[in-house]
Amino acid sequence: KKMQLQNKTGFSEQEVLSYFDEVYKNYESSLEPATRYVEAFSAILKITAEDLMLNPSQEKKEVSSVETKEKEVPFTAFKRPLAEATLEKNGASTINDSFARSKQLSLNDVMMKEEESSILTKHRKSKIYDLKSAVPINLRYIFINELFKGGADDYNLALAQIERCEDYESAKNILDQVYGRKYDWEKEKTEVKEFFELVERRFY
C-alpha cells in the first residue's frame, strides 16, 4: 500500500527496504518465530533460516553497489530471492520444479503423518470393552442402514447377543447364521468387514 501511494513506476532498493523495516517494526511483536516453520518446510525442501537471510555485510555491500550505479531501479530488476538460489543449489530451478520431480506429501502431511499413523494403528488394534458405546455414531447409522436395512432393533439385539458370547467364533456364528442370512450380507462388502472387525476386537 505504501508503495502504491507513491504512484511511482520504480523504487530504489533502499526505499523498498525502508518500507519493509517500518512495517516489520510495527508488527514485530506479534510475529511467531520462523524456526518451526522453516524446519517443517525443510522436510520437503532442504532449507535453513540462514538461506532466507542476507548477512549484514552482504546486505550493505549489495545496497551500496546498487546505489552507486543508479538511484532508482525498476521493481522487476531486483535480485532474485535467496530461496531461488537455494533451490538451484539443490538441483531445482523453481519450487514447482522441485515438487514436480517427485510426488511429495503436503507440509501438513509431513508434520502429521507419523502421529496420525500411530494413532490409527493403535485404535484399530485396541480391545473394545463395550461394543455398543465403542461404535462411532456415523458407523452406527451405516451399519443399521446397510447391514440391518434400517432395523435399529435388530442391530441393538445383535450387539446384546454378541456381548453374551464367550468368544469371537460364537459371536461370528450368530451374526452369520441369524443376521447374515436374514439380510443377505456379502462378506466382501466393506461395511460387513468393518462390522466383523469391531466384533473381533471385543474378544481380544
Side-chain angles (χ1 to χ4, degrees), residues 44 104-114 116:
I44 296 173
Q104 297 283 355
L105 294 173
S106 70
L107 183 58
N108 184 61
D109 288 337
V110 170
M111 298 177 73
M112 301 298 293
K113 185 180 177 184
E114 185 175 341
E116 194 173 85

Side-chain angles (χ1 to χ4, degrees), residues 138-199:
N138 59 321
L139 270 184
R140 185 166 75 233
Y141 283 116
I142 290 173
F143 290 155
I144 290 173
N145 291 324
E146 296 294 326
L147 304 186
F148 295 87
K149 308 301 181 189
D153 289 341
D154 267 1
Y155 169 77
N156 289 324
L157 179 60
L159 294 189
Q161 290 175 312
I162 290 168
E163 291 293 347
R164 290 195 293 270
C165 291
E166 294 184 358
D167 52 43
Y168 173 64
E169 285 302 317
S170 301
K172 186 175 180 294
N173 286 335
I174 289 175
L175 292 174
D176 283 335
Q177 299 301 319
V178 179
Y179 303 100
R181 286 185 177 182
K182 180 177 180 178
Y183 294 106
D184 194 24
W185 288 352
E186 298 175 18
K187 291 189 176 182
E188 295 305 312
K189 193 173 181 179
T190 303
E191 292 81 3
V192 175
K193 288 182 177 181
E194 186 75 16
F195 186 61
F196 275 91
E197 181 182 323
L198 288 168
V199 172

Side-chain angles (χ1 to χ4, degrees), residues 65-94:
S65 88
V66 170
E67 287 179 337
T68 54
K69 288 182 181 178
E70 52 183 323
K71 290 185 178 180
E72 286 203 349
V73 180
F75 189 73
T76 54
F78 288 160
K79 182 176 69 64
R80 291 179 308 148
L82 284 181
E84 286 189 24
T86 304
L87 284 164
E88 285 193 352
K89 182 177 70 179
N90 291 331
S93 58
T94 66

